[in-house]
Amino acid sequence: MYDHLTLISGRCHPALASAISDYLGVPLARVELGDFPDGESSVRLNHNVRGRDVFLIQPTGPPANDTLMELLILIDTCKRASAERITAVIPYFGYARQDRKDAGRVPITSKLVANLITEAGADRVLTMDLHAAQIQGFFDLPVDHLYGSPVLDEYFRSLQFPSGEIVIVSPDEGSIKRAMQHVEGLGGALAIVDKRRASATETRQANLIGGSLEGKTALVFDDMISTAGSICGAVDVCKRFGARDVYVAATHGVFCGSALEKLAKAPVKEIVVTDSLPLPDEKRLPNIRTVSIAPMLGEAIRRIHRNESVSVLFD
């Protein structure tokens, strides 16, 4: 079944790559990854990829410049080694925030990165929960866009909340569609936090639209937790409107800046993230739970390799 499939891991998240390898029963290819004395990335494949279907597993998370450059060099290496097809498996797609010109004289870095990946020689991209879905259109090659919601929903179903107890909360108006997916998967009512931008760097959460939270369990879903400002603001609103317990969930646990400090002080029962990014010990709070996307990515890779439908994973 996997005679022509090759898995290669970058240095960003070898644990996830290893879990995908275990799921598929395909060993990771041998590759030497390092840095030259001046900081440039060094790559050498010790595995024949000629005529093979190669999947490069590398989230472009922090440090984004290093992980992105390593991915580009890996793509170029496989292209020059005569791989038949190269799929960039990017569980977390960095540089996704600037997906449009919302002010004068600013770049659209999402499009720039899409161009770089395409020009490096990738034939396909497999990614998960892009910050903005339209980024798929920035690529002039096929993109398989997965969602973390089934994995997160499975975890919350395992907690067996009593019927009618939960309210799914969208932390802002832009996340309503995502929240609706979780309503379909978990049931419960929908509520929306009214988020207003106070300045270029500050937001203010004041009101709640929709279902009552009095005495209920609030489940707040977002695509990522970066600085945790929006999430913590949404948690405060939930508690102010009477929520008994608040759970926070996101596909990508970036946790940069003062995020962990804010979350440690927030009245959150659990913070649930996937393993799309590595979570070192220094970023682990006692109430952080991690659920694995390795089986989902592994199954998507299997289906792409065999030219089968990927969207069936979400039917």
Side-chain angles (χ1 to χ4, degrees), residues 1 11 28 36 50 60 77 80 103 106 109 130-131 166-167 170 187-188 208 220 244 247 250 255 257 271 307 310:
M1 185 187 301
R11 285 181 290 176
L28 291 169
F36 290 109
R50 183 178 294 272
T60 52
T77 303
R80 295 178 187 278
V106 297
T109 47
L130 290 167
H131 191 57
I166 64 171
V167 177
S170 173
L208 191 73
V220 185
R244 185 178 70 252
Y247 291 76
F255 300 136
I271 303 158
N307 296 315
V310 174

Side-chain angles (χ1 to χ4, degrees), residues 32-85:
E32 295 177 20
L33 298 166
D35 296 303
F36 290 109
D38 61 356
E40 294 177 5
S41 295
S42 167
V43 173
R44 180 184 176 88
L45 278 177
N46 294 320
H47 192 100
N48 180 21
V49 297
R50 183 178 294 272
R52 297 184 71 84
D53 192 8
V54 175
F55 291 82
L56 299 173
I57 304 165
Q58 174 87 322
T60 52
N65 294 340
D66 294 343
T67 55
L68 173 61
M69 197 66 211
E70 185 171 273
L71 173 64
L72 297 175
I73 296 172
L74 280 166
I75 293 170
D76 184 74
T77 303
C78 292
K79 177 184 176 183
R80 295 178 187 278
S82 301
E84 181 178 329
R85 182 173 67 172

Side-chain angles (χ1 to χ4, degrees), residues 94-233:
Y95 281 108
R97 290 179 181 82
Q98 286 190 292
D99 59 346
R100 65 196 184 283
K101 287 196 69 170
D102 55 359
R105 297 176 296 280
V106 297
I108 304 178
T109 47
S110 313
K111 173 59 175 169
L112 172 62
V113 171
N115 288 346
L116 290 170
I117 291 170
T118 303
E119 288 300 316
D123 298 295
R124 192 178 200 98
V125 168
L126 172 61
T127 188
M128 176 169 280
D129 272 329
L130 290 167
H131 191 57
Q134 67 263 25
I135 293 173
Q136 296 172 76
F138 294 170
F139 288 91
D140 295 322
L141 46 79
V143 175
D144 291 294
H145 187 210
L146 306 183
Y147 300 93
S149 53
V151 178
L152 295 171
D153 288 350
E154 183 180 355
Y155 173 78
F156 283 113
R157 278 194 292 269
S158 73
L159 300 183
Q160 298 182 333
F161 295 113
S163 177
E165 180 184 327
I166 64 171
V167 177
I168 308 300
V169 179
S170 173
D172 53 46
E173 293 85 346
S175 300
I176 294 174
K177 186 175 180 180
R178 179 179 298 103
M180 287 297 299
Q181 291 175 341
H182 291 287
V183 170
E184 292 176 8
L186 294 171
L190 173 68
I192 305 156
V193 174
D194 180 20
K195 183 174 83 170
R196 305 292 175 91
R197 186 159 290 280
S199 69
T201 57
E202 295 182 7
T203 58
R204 179 172 53 86
Q205 293 87 354
N207 300 309
L208 191 73
I209 304 166
S212 170
L213 287 177
E214 192 66 41
K216 300 288 185 66
T217 296
L219 308 182
V220 185
F221 289 96
D222 211 344
D223 63 325
M224 71 172 73
I225 301 176
S226 184
T227 61
S230 294
I231 280 288
C232 288

Side-chain angles (χ1 to χ4, degrees), residues 13 15-21 23-24 57-59 89-93 126-129 146-155 223 250-253 272-278 289-302 313-314:
H13 203 347
L16 177 61
S18 179
I20 293 171
S21 168
Y23 177 86
L24 291 170
I57 304 165
Q58 174 87 322
V89 182
I90 313 173
Y92 171 78
F93 184 82
L126 172 61
T127 188
M128 176 169 280
D129 272 329
L146 306 183
Y147 300 93
S149 53
V151 178
L152 295 171
D153 288 350
E154 183 180 355
Y155 173 78
D223 63 325
T251 301
H252 310 299
V272 186
V273 294
T274 77
D275 57 352
S276 66
L277 285 168
R289 305 286 178 267
T290 304
V291 293
S292 182
I293 56 171
M296 178 183 288
L297 287 171
E299 184 61 21
I301 289 171
R302 186 188 72 81
L313 294 173
F314 305 101

